[in-house]
Amino acid sequence: MRLLRIFTYTLTLLILLGFTGRAMADESKFSGGFLDLEKASDQYSNQRVLEFWAYHDTFGEQTQADTLKLRYYQPLHFDRWRGTMRLDTSYVSTYGPELPQHQTGTYSAGNTMLTVWGNHPNVLKNWEGTLGGRIIFPFGNYGQWAAGPQIGTVYVPRQGSKSALSDFSPLLRYMYGFDTKSNSFANNPNQPPLVRNLNIFPTLGFNLTPNTQLRLWDENGIAWNTGGGGWFVPLDAMVTHRLNKSFLFAVGASKQVVQSYPVYDWSFYGKLSFNF
């Protein structure tokens, strides 16, 4: 019954976003100039992207975590289907008074995530969104196996628009944890329960200069814990600056504002991005 409820939640949300995408893709909806957006005709890049991320997260006054992450984007093309594969792998150092066995600077393997998304021109062709999914592979002592579907799309200002808005890129992803493999209750007796989360990314991009953007809810989104109830709503902002066609760097921060479902208090992060 629980699996049936989770499937029903996910299917309903995917259908709702699909209808939303179709409505927003109807250009007449914004003919009055409000938002003045149109669907992006090409959401896929032909370039590979390699990114180096660093995060510092705080969890109350007791625990902190430093994370080093490698992220890679690979374009995919099968017949008329086009998409993207994203691979994330990380090393994590967690420390604080409640974790005496962990010292600052001591890193262990974190989660590895594989995400694939794309679309065929004959699937939701009036919408031009993307369908995909993510799998989380746990490594070290602090992960769990999880998987789930995702759906998203991209809307941009009309050609020639002088709007400061660069894009509106909503995405929904539901993650379902199903195994605590690679965990040790002896070393980590306070393991969190299996994930039952709906992740919501109402991503907005704003052009500050021709090469600089402010991006909201791009790296960290809203989470709804469907397993036990509760919301986590952060204010997430990242500034990106492109130095040339191959190199971009960014810095960002995220602060929880609603935390009936706890995730973190503060998150500070930055990245170096190379496309080729």
Side-chain angles (χ1 to χ4, degrees):
M1 290 299 294
R2 178 175 294 179
L3 284 173
L4 180 60
R5 289 198 299 271
I6 296 301
F7 176 79
T8 303
Y9 284 146
T10 304
L11 182 61
T12 302
L13 289 164
L14 295 184
I15 292 172
L16 285 174
L17 188 56
F19 281 124
T20 301
R22 289 193 186 95
M24 294 189 71
D26 182 356
E27 296 180 356
S28 67
K29 300 294 182 182
F30 305 102
S31 59
F34 177 67
L35 292 181
D36 199 23
L37 298 176
E38 62 183 3
K39 61 191 180 228
S41 60
D42 186 357
Q43 300 181 39
Y44 313 103
S45 171
N46 291 322
Q47 291 188 313
R48 300 173 180 86
V49 181
L50 181 64
E51 297 181 339
F52 300 91
W53 289 80
Y55 306 79
H56 177 74
D57 300 329
T58 64
F59 311 89
E61 298 180 356
Q62 300 298 315
T63 306
Q64 302 180 65
D66 295 327
T67 303
L68 301 176
K69 180 178 289 188
L70 183 68
R71 181 177 297 171
Y72 175 69
Y73 295 86
Q74 171 66 44
L76 301 175
H77 189 191
F78 300 104
D79 191 25
R80 298 179 64 193
W81 185 91
R82 296 187 65 190
T84 304
M85 180 186 71
R86 169 178 151 181
L87 180 65
D88 296 72
T89 188
S90 61
Y91 274 83
V92 183
S93 174
T94 305
Y95 52 94
E98 296 181 353
L99 300 170
Q101 72 274 25
H102 293 279
Q103 300 178 359
T104 305
T106 303
Y107 287 85
S108 59
N111 288 334
T112 291
M113 301 184 297
L114 177 65
T115 314
V116 177
W117 66 92
N119 203 357
H120 191 279
N122 292 335
V123 178
L124 300 175
K125 57 186 175 182
N126 294 323
W127 167 47
E128 296 188 4
T130 63
L131 301 172
R134 167 173 288 180
I135 300 175
I136 297 178
F137 305 89
F139 292 96
N141 189 49
Y142 295 96
Q144 59 184 258
W145 290 93
Q150 71 175 47
I151 184 170
T153 190
V154 177
Y155 301 100
V156 297
R158 295 182 188 277
Q159 186 92 19
S161 172
K162 296 182 180 180
S163 171
L165 181 69
S166 68
D167 66 280
F168 170 49
S169 308
L171 182 143
L172 291 178
R173 179 187 297 120
Y174 188 84
M175 295 305 299
Y176 183 90
F178 55 88
D179 191 359
T180 57
K181 184 178 180 180
S182 297
N183 280 274
S184 168
F185 282 96
N187 294 329
N188 183 19
N190 298 317
Q191 285 187 47
L194 290 172
V195 169
R196 301 288 187 271
N197 289 349
L198 174 66
N199 303 128
I200 307 169
F201 291 83
T203 305
L204 291 165
F206 297 92
N207 295 314
L208 303 181
T209 72
N211 296 312
T212 306
Q213 282 193 356
L214 171 66
R215 302 196 61 78
L216 304 178
W217 297 289
D218 191 317
E219 181 62 14
N220 296 286
I222 300 166
W224 173 34
N225 179 13
T226 64
W231 286 87
F232 176 78
V233 182
L235 178 60
D236 179 72
M238 175 172 59
V239 176
T240 70
H241 181 72
R242 180 164 292 281
L243 291 178
N244 53 53
K245 64 180 182 179
S246 301
F247 177 59
L248 176 146
F249 70 88
V251 293
S254 186
K255 175 69 173 78
Q256 58 85 5
V257 292
V258 175
Q259 191 172 233
S260 54
Y261 167 65
V263 178
Y264 57 80
D265 289 339
W266 279 94
S267 179
F268 303 94
Y269 54 90
K271 73 170 179 176
L272 301 176
S273 178
F274 303 88
N275 52 286
F276 51 95

